[in-house]
């Protein structure tokens, strides 16, 4: 129940419904409000798709009222402390879900990785459970190899690099870049949860992956043929949103009118605007935002910058901007405070690059739009995604982040930000990345069309589920 997982789940439900199947999304009261309009629009188009609401046990798990997703948790003053309670609350949904499954008897249950108990819940009624990780094949393979071979234990320091064993492509990481659930030897509630995730996946029917074969063929093959996992690639799922409204209304209510945003972009030359956004969870300090502002001004690039501010931060609202910044950049920059219609922005020809935290949705949306990336990983599996972008696909430049730091990220100076932006936006190197990015964009679009790799893999999944029906 984080935006980075909910948004592609909704897209996937629309994908099932678009093939003539009935899709039901199970969610909680406040989360349902985030995408009820999307569901209504899909229903108006004749799709058999609806919502079922389960009460979220906030109070029972010691959470404040209204904390039903990671966005509400991480923006809360005690966010870090509440994460444990949040996962506890999620586990309390097992019983009501089982009652629902008994009543509705679906042919299949697609459940997020963070509900490991969903495999057993579905098995009680003979229902196959599909796992959705919200990651691509590269990161799934990297994660399995790290858990199995533990190469990070053989280095003498946190900053010494090691090769991920048996993974195609000689991928190098450091211990500093690994999630704390892997790095820390001490067993915590989170490490226990991750173990349960791995176990539940091995018992499940298989995995649905928001990716396409042509993007990461060596890793799709490795995951299925070498690691022996049953998996179907069905993405990029964001491409099921074809109209302006569909693209603009994914996730939360945008903080800017989509037409105003498009009008601003229409006034710019092709590939002249850099788009900066760090997803829905990362929450940078005022001093880090100041460095970004200084880098943008020094780079002389036109930009759209999406800023997520901590509601509980007592800093003056504009302390993170250099004095007079907005007046000086009035014609060349657009600051969106809050939620942006990201797919709509990235698809515009004026956008020439994307500074991203490397969350898988953003990474895939950037690639699907044919934009080179400035990679700035923060947490989760984002350092793995960075390696795919910079070392395998060669469509991005790293900003130089060295350490995995939950929520607030590793500090980066303005000169390094400016340098990475310039490399992605100007010169021969940028042009080569842009050519590669555009080739990937065409492959992504072909993958979801009739006869394409994702279209066909999705059909194979549906046929297998149909064959299993009593």
């Amino acid at each position: 129940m984080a935006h980075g997982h909910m948004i592609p789940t909704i897209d996937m439900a629309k994908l099932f419904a678009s093939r003539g199947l009935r899709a039901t999304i199970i969610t909680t009261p406040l989360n349902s409000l985030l995408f009820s309009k999307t569901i209504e629009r899909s229903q108006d188009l004749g799709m058999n798709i609806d919502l079922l609401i389960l009460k979220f046990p906030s109070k029972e798990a010691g959470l404040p009222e209204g904390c039903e997703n990671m966005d509400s948790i991480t923006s809360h003053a005690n966010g870090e402390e509440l994460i444990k309670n949040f996962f506890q609350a999620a586990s309390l949904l097992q019983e009501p879900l089982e009652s629902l499954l008994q009543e509705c008897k679906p042919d299949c249950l697609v459940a997020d990785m963070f509900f490991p108990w969903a495999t057993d819940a579905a098995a009680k009624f003979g229902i196959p459970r599909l796992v959705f990780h919200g990651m691509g094949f590269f990161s799934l393979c990297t994660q399995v190899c790290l858990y199995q071979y533990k190469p990070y234990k053989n280095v003498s320091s946190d900053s010494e690099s090691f090769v991920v064993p048996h993974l195609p492509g000689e991928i190098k990481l450091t211990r500093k870049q690994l999630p704390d659930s892997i790095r820390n030897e001490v067993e915590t509630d989170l490490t226990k949860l991750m173990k349960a995730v791995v176990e539940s996946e091995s018992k499940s029917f298989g995995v649905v992956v928001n990716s396409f074969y042509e993007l990461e063929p060596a890793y799709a093959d490795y995951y299925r043929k070498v690691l022996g996992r049953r998996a179907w690639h069905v993405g990029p799922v964001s491409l099921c949103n074809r109209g302006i409204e569909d693209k603009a209304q994914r996730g939360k209510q945008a903080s800017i009118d989509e037409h105003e945003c498009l009008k601003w972009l229409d006034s710019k030359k092709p590939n002249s605007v850099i788009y900066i956004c760090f997803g829905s969870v990362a929450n940078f300090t005022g001093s880090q935002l100041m460095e970004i502002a200084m880098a943008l001004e020094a780079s002389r690039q036109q930009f759209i910058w999406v800023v997520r501010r901590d509601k509980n931060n007592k800093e003056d609202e504009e302390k993170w901007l250099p004095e007079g910044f907005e007046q000086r950049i009035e014609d060349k920059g657009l600051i969106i405070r809050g939620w942006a219609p990201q797919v709509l922005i990235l698809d515009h020809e004026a956008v020439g690059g994307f500074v991203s935290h490397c969350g898988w949705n953003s990474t895939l949306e950037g690639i699907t739009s044919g934009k080179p990336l400035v990679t700035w990983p923060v947490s989760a599996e984002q350092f793995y995604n960075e390696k795919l972008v910079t070392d395998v696909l060669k469509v991005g430049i790293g900003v130089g982040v060295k350490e995995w730091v939950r929520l607030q990220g590793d500090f980066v100076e303005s000169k390094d930000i400016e340098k990475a932006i310039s490399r992605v936006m100007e010169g021969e190197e940028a042009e080569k990345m842009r050519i590669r990015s555009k080739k990937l964009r065409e492959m992504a679009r072909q993958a979801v069309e009739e006869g394409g790799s994702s279209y066909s893999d999705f059909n194979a999944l549906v046929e297998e589920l149909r064959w299993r029906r009593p």
Side-chain angles (χ1 to χ4, degrees), residues 53 57 87 154 158 200 265 279 320 332 338 346 390 410 465:
I53 312 296
F87 283 117
N154 303 325
D158 281 355
S200 81
L265 283 166
W320 50 275
K332 59 187 294 189
L346 285 171
T390 58
D410 194 12
L465 291 170

Side-chain angles (χ1 to χ4, degrees), residues 97-286:
L97 175 69
E98 287 178 5
S99 301
L100 214 55
L101 293 176
Q102 190 171 21
E103 186 187 331
C104 299
K105 296 183 177 59
D107 296 305
C108 174
L109 173 69
V110 181
D112 193 272
M113 63 179 281
F114 286 113
F115 305 127
W117 43 263
T119 300
D120 291 337
K124 283 184 182 179
F125 309 101
I127 298 165
R129 183 261 173 122
L130 286 165
V131 182
F132 178 63
H133 287 278
M135 286 188 255
F137 283 109
F138 178 87
S139 289
L140 287 167
C141 293
T142 303
Q143 190 166 268
V144 173
C145 290
L146 289 171
Y147 274 116
Q148 278 186 0
Y149 304 110
K150 301 182 172 27
Y152 50 88
K153 289 191 170 184
N154 303 325
V155 289
S156 55
S157 73
D158 281 355
S159 52
E160 183 188 337
S161 66
F162 59 82
V163 174
V164 181
H166 304 287
L167 190 67
E170 195 157 310
I171 304 303
K172 291 182 179 178
L173 289 164
T174 67
R175 204 153 56 197
K176 271 186 173 180
Q177 295 172 321
L178 304 181
D180 52 12
S181 60
I182 295 178
R183 218 186 332 179
N184 299 338
E185 297 297 324
V186 184
E187 189 168 66
T188 63
D189 290 310
L190 186 58
T191 58
K192 284 179 194 168
L193 175 66
M194 294 313 290
K195 276 183 187 171
V197 167
V198 173
E199 284 167 22
S200 81
E201 185 191 316
S202 65
K203 294 188 292 182
S204 73
F205 187 70
V207 177
V208 273
V209 184
N210 181 18
S211 187
F212 58 103
Y213 183 77
E214 294 80 1
L215 181 68
E216 36 184 358
Y219 304 99
D221 289 343
Y222 186 82
Y223 192 68
R224 297 192 280 202
K225 294 174 184 175
V226 180
L227 297 176
R229 309 297 171 101
R230 284 166 54 79
W232 295 266
H233 49 81
V234 300
V237 296
S238 62
L239 288 177
C240 74
N241 300 287
R242 310 238 166 177
I244 287 178
E245 244 188 331
D246 286 329
K247 291 176 185 177
Q249 291 180 10
R250 287 174 81 234
K252 295 198 310 193
Q253 179 69 40
S255 307
I256 186 171
D257 178 75
E258 62 263 31
H259 301 292
E260 182 192 330
C261 192
L262 287 175
K263 188 180 172 186
W264 188 88
L265 283 166
D266 287 342
S267 70
K268 308 301 175 188
K269 291 177 182 172
N271 300 322
S272 65
V273 176
I274 184 89
Y275 173 64
I276 306 102
C277 183
F278 298 99
S280 60
V281 174
N283 211 338
F284 287 170
T285 60

Side-chain angles (χ1 to χ4, degrees), residues 286-332:
S287 55
Q288 182 63 87
L289 295 173
M290 179 73 82
E291 295 291 318
I292 296 170
M294 291 192 294
L296 287 171
E297 194 164 8
S299 75
R300 302 184 183 280
Q301 299 291 342
Q302 299 186 97
F303 64 87
I304 293 180
W305 180 17
V306 184
V307 180
R308 182 181 191 265
R309 295 297 286 133
D310 186 346
K311 297 185 203 113
N312 301 290
N313 198 316
K314 298 294 184 270
E315 287 180 59
D316 175 11
E317 166 65 10
E318 303 304 330
K319 266 189 186 170
W320 50 275
L321 284 176
E323 198 171 333
F325 177 81
E326 290 195 88
Q327 289 73 32
R328 292 192 299 276
I329 58 91
E330 194 173 0
D331 296 328
K332 59 187 294 189

